[in-house]
Amino acid sequence: MVIQEIDNVKFRLKKPCDLTWIKKYGTVFSVIDATGSGCICFGVGNWKDRYFIKIAGVDTVDAEISPGESVETLKNAAELYQNLKHPNLVELLEHYPVLDCYAAVFRWVEGDCLFDHWNFEKYDKNPGETGPAGRFKKLSPGRKLSAAECLFSFLETVSARHYVAVDFYDGSLIYDFAADKMMICDIDLFRKQPAYNDAGEAYWGTKRLKAPEEYRLGAVIDEATNVFTLGALMFEFFGKYTQEEIDRRYKDNQFLPCKIECWSLGSASYSAVLRAVDFDREKRYPSISDFHKAFLEAIRADEKSLS
């Protein structure tokens, strides 16, 4: 491992790599080097604009794939950002090869990642500091419902353009607490339909949220899978879990909905979201739009029951 530095911002790599070319965009003010994707990400700004620069092929310390695979993934991802443009998706400005790497330059968005794993050690050392996930959990139901609407809208766009979400989880989400705005920041592994699980249990995604078919080699990955993913995220938004329950998901390779008494909305919305995460894909909503409609109707029923 080597430690490098640009503009007093330090980062780790497996071996040296000249990244000083990013200074053409301005001064480096942040870095994320703890990625499994083999990418390193910089926040860079000048007097006028700020950018998020994602660089593949640098061989990060925590990389789960080779530098070459990382480059191919980011190249393919550029097409995804262009084809799935949405008001809540980060905007890709340009992408190109540089030296042995590949760069994607995005417009900077304000906010915090809702699964900022690169900061977990810091939170462990400072128990009094609440991370973005904890802060988001404490928001009012109304503010979280607005954030949920962004995800429904985006995944409806994904389905309409015949793609499926892959590895879509809270680490793909940036929330601006000041502006109450949700943005999607990582869709690099999304796939064009038809799509299949080509990796069995090792298929991309966190065990906290994966659908059953995302563990089965050869299984179809489609809109019903995305319904499950979004339902699981809704349980993350509006439910509460003990650490033991979270650990069980990792141990058993199986998502678990929270208990109804740990659900922060009403019983109608709990039932609506529970259908989305049914292990039997035939019992789930057939589309994101159908799930969206049922969820909104359930929220109105919950509000009526409380009035």
Side-chain angles (χ1 to χ4, degrees), residues 4-39:
Q4 293 187 209
E5 182 177 327
I6 303 177
D7 295 330
N8 297 316
V9 175
K10 295 181 179 180
F11 51 93
R12 307 165 304 146
L13 294 175
K14 285 184 180 177
K15 53 188 177 182
C17 183
D18 181 9
L19 299 174
T20 55
W21 57 267
I22 65 174
K23 285 184 63 61
K24 69 181 181 180
Y25 293 98
T27 301
V28 175
F29 59 84
S30 70
V31 65
I32 300 172
D33 61 2
T35 69
S37 66
C39 294

Side-chain angles (χ1 to χ4, degrees), residues 15 57 113 123 130 134 156 177-178 200 203 233 235 252 257 271 283:
K15 53 188 177 182
C113 178
Y123 302 143
T130 302
E156 284 174 332
F177 289 88
Y203 186 79
L233 275 168
F235 274 108
D252 298 342
S271 296
K283 294 181 180 179

Side-chain angles (χ1 to χ4, degrees), residues 28-272:
V28 175
F29 59 84
S30 70
V31 65
I32 300 172
D33 61 2
T35 69
S37 66
C39 294
I40 189 168
C41 306
F42 293 94
V44 184
N46 54 44
W47 64 274
K48 183 181 178 182
D49 294 303
R50 296 210 290 174
Y51 307 95
F52 183 81
I53 304 176
K54 192 169 190 175
I55 307 167
V58 294
D59 208 1
T60 58
V61 171
D62 299 308
E64 298 172 4
I65 56 178
S66 70
E69 290 173 315
S70 176
V71 166
E72 287 305 310
T73 298
L74 189 57
K75 279 183 181 179
N76 294 335
E79 181 179 347
L80 295 171
Y81 287 94
Q82 293 166 336
N83 291 345
L84 297 175
K85 286 183 179 180
H86 185 274
N88 296 99
L89 177 65
V90 293
E91 180 185 2
L92 177 65
L93 300 174
E94 58 181 345
H95 58 98
Y96 52 86
V98 52
L99 302 176
D100 294 326
C101 301
Y102 200 84
V105 182
F106 298 87
R107 192 177 304 284
W108 180 265
V109 297
E110 296 298 331
D112 298 284
C113 178
L114 293 185
F115 192 75
D116 58 334
H117 61 87
W118 53 90
N119 287 323
F120 284 2
E121 185 176 343
K122 179 181 70 173
Y123 302 143
D124 288 341
K125 293 178 179 177
N126 301 278
E129 184 173 353
T130 302
R135 291 165 60 200
F136 185 80
K137 282 279 190 182
K138 294 177 181 178
L139 293 180
S140 68
R143 293 173 72 180
K144 288 191 285 188
L145 283 169
S146 294
E149 277 297 301
C150 297
L151 303 192
F152 273 109
S153 175
F154 175 64
L155 287 180
E156 284 174 332
T157 295
V158 170
S159 296
R161 295 176 186 170
H162 308 291
Y163 284 85
V164 291
V166 180
D167 196 30
F168 188 61
Y169 71 121
D170 38 9
S172 311
L173 309 177
I174 292 176
Y175 189 74
D176 184 341
F177 289 88
D180 280 337
K181 186 175 183 179
M182 179 71 84
M183 294 293 290
I184 292 97
C185 64
D186 187 353
I187 62 167
D188 292 12
L189 297 175
F190 282 32
R191 297 182 179 185
K192 188 77 173 176
Q193 294 192 56
Y196 303 89
N197 180 340
D198 54 5
E201 287 188 9
Y203 186 79
W204 290 97
T206 173
K207 292 181 178 182
R208 291 182 295 113
L209 305 174
K210 281 169 69 170
E213 57 267 31
E214 292 179 291
Y215 290 102
R216 294 197 303 269
L217 184 65
V220 172
I221 305 295
D222 58 9
E223 193 165 1
T225 310
N226 287 176
V227 166
F228 189 105
T229 299
L230 185 52
L233 275 168
M234 292 303 97
F235 274 108
E236 288 291 310
F237 278 22
F238 301 105
K240 292 181 181 179
Y241 291 90
T242 65
Q243 188 58 51
E244 181 183 358
E245 289 170 331
I246 294 172
D247 292 343
R248 271 182 61 195
R249 287 190 266 178
Y250 286 105
K251 179 182 176 182
D252 298 342
N253 286 354
Q254 180 177 300
F255 169 79
L256 292 172
C258 71
K259 301 170 184 174
I260 191 168
E261 57 266 28
C262 296
W263 179 254
S264 62
L265 301 175
S267 59
S269 56
Y270 180 87
S271 296

